[in-house]
Amino acid sequence: MPIDPQDAVVSVQAGLAQLSTLIVSYSFSAIGAVILLVLGYIVAGLAQRSIYAGLGHIHGFDATLRHFFSRITRYAILILVVIMVLGQFGVQTASIIAAIGAIGLAIGLALQGTLQNIAAGIMLLALRPFRIGEYVEVGVISGTIEEIGLFATQLRTVEGVYILAPNSTLWNLPVRNYTRNGVRRGDITLTIGSWNDIDLAQKTMLGVAAIERRVRREPAPIAFVATVGDSNVAITLRYWTSAADFFATQIDLTKRAKQAFDSEGISIPAPPPEAPRQEPSATRQ
């Protein structure tokens, strides 16, 4: 059937008009999308800097948490902007949001242990059961805190060994912080023979503590009989010192107490003699 030239011209004109309408419409959408992207990028940057600066005014708020929350805010704004841009082109954003939620759930289930460490890291940084430079004991882990991260905490033991402990482990166990209170109690126990003057031994140990400048006067140091054996008596010197001086003070006081006992003639019981070894007798064939 022959095509009427006039109908063909009308169809072409209608198609061109529809095409021009689409081009104009999508041009405005594209321009709007570019404007949204630029504005969203600027707003995300401003929000990140504002939150980082605002959290900095909170006394004691950790710098790691400041970085974490400011970046989370930035990424959340950028994701929202991308969804709005897709909406400019007629994309069903509800399905995108549902897909993002499903992906987030899958990632959360796959990284459950990692997310537990992040949550524990946030709690450790917020509640501060320990800080950098403090000596702590958590379960079988003990050492000086060197760095607290979102995933793990770095410690250094007294032997100089490096430990990287997951935050979830540190958060789920009781924390013994030996530095936080600033002072620590020390006990030094020396065992003497029961024939020695116990009062003199206690007075000697108190005299050693009295001349040590690192020993605090309040609470005052005390010396007492800890245990009594068949031929020996254990005398304990109990004192308080700063947490930073604890180990050095304990080492020095132990040495000086032993030297003071030797000067006063206070003897320490000798260990019992070893039983003579008996050579096994050779058996005759």
Side-chain angles (χ1 to χ4, degrees):
M1 185 176 181
I3 300 176
D4 189 355
Q6 187 176 2
D7 292 339
V9 171
V10 171
S11 298
V12 171
Q13 290 177 346
L16 291 175
Q18 186 176 5
L19 180 60
S20 62
T21 302
L22 289 174
I23 292 174
V24 172
S25 175
Y26 277 102
S27 297
F28 280 113
S29 297
I31 294 173
V34 171
I35 293 174
L36 277 176
L37 286 174
V38 173
L39 290 177
Y41 184 82
I42 295 174
V43 170
L46 291 174
Q48 181 181 8
R49 288 191 293 270
S50 299
I51 291 179
Y52 184 82
L55 294 177
H57 294 301
I58 302 177
H59 178 69
F61 202 89
D62 193 86
T64 305
L65 286 181
R66 291 169 62 191
H67 284 290
F68 178 75
F69 287 122
S70 60
R71 288 178 181 176
I72 286 294
T73 303
R74 175 186 174 86
Y75 294 146
I77 293 175
L78 290 177
I79 292 174
L80 180 61
V81 168
V82 171
I83 293 175
M84 293 173 62
V85 168
L86 293 176
Q88 288 287 107
F89 295 98
V91 179
Q92 295 295 328
T93 57
S95 59
I96 296 177
I97 295 174
I100 292 175
I103 293 173
L105 179 61
I107 294 174
L109 292 175
L111 301 176
Q112 185 175 2
T114 302
L115 294 178
Q116 286 180 353
N117 286 327
I118 294 176
I122 293 174
M123 297 302 294
L124 290 175
L125 291 170
L127 298 181
R128 296 292 189 90
F130 46 74
R131 294 183 174 88
I132 295 176
E134 294 182 338
Y135 185 84
V136 299
E137 179 181 322
V138 185
V140 297
I141 301 172
S142 62
T144 302
I145 302 296
E146 291 194 327
E147 182 179 341
I148 306 171
L150 283 176
F151 297 94
T153 297
Q154 299 178 21
L155 301 93
R156 184 185 71 256
T157 68
V158 292
E159 297 87 2
V161 179
Y162 169 85
I163 296 179
L164 183 66
N167 286 333
S168 58
T169 301
L170 301 179
W171 176 250
N172 292 324
L173 293 174
V175 177
R176 295 170 63 90
N177 193 324
Y178 292 94
T179 312
R180 176 61 54 87
N181 292 334
V183 295
R184 286 187 63 179
R185 192 194 77 189
D187 288 351
I188 294 175
T189 301
L190 295 180
T191 302
I192 63 175
S194 57
W195 56 86
N196 292 282
D197 188 343
I198 296 177
D199 293 332
L200 177 60
Q202 292 179 259
K203 182 180 178 181
T204 301
M205 296 191 81
L206 289 176
V208 170
I211 61 176
E212 174 56 59
R213 61 177 180 81
R214 291 169 295 186
V215 173
R216 292 178 173 261
R217 302 302 169 233
E218 291 293 335
I222 59 173
F224 57 91
V225 176
T227 59
V228 177
D230 295 336
S231 60
N232 57 69
V233 178
I235 308 295
T236 296
L237 172 66
R238 177 165 293 174
Y239 62 93
W240 289 82
T241 185
S242 66
D245 295 331
F246 176 77
F247 291 106
T249 304
Q250 188 176 52
I251 293 172
D252 291 342
L253 284 180
T254 302
K255 177 182 178 180
R256 292 171 186 170
K258 175 61 171 64
Q259 292 173 340
F261 277 8
D262 293 341
S263 299
E264 295 292 341
I266 302 173
S267 59
I268 294 176
E274 294 184 359
R277 289 186 178 181
Q278 295 182 356
E279 296 294 335
S281 58
T283 57
R284 295 182 178 180
Q285 298 293 337

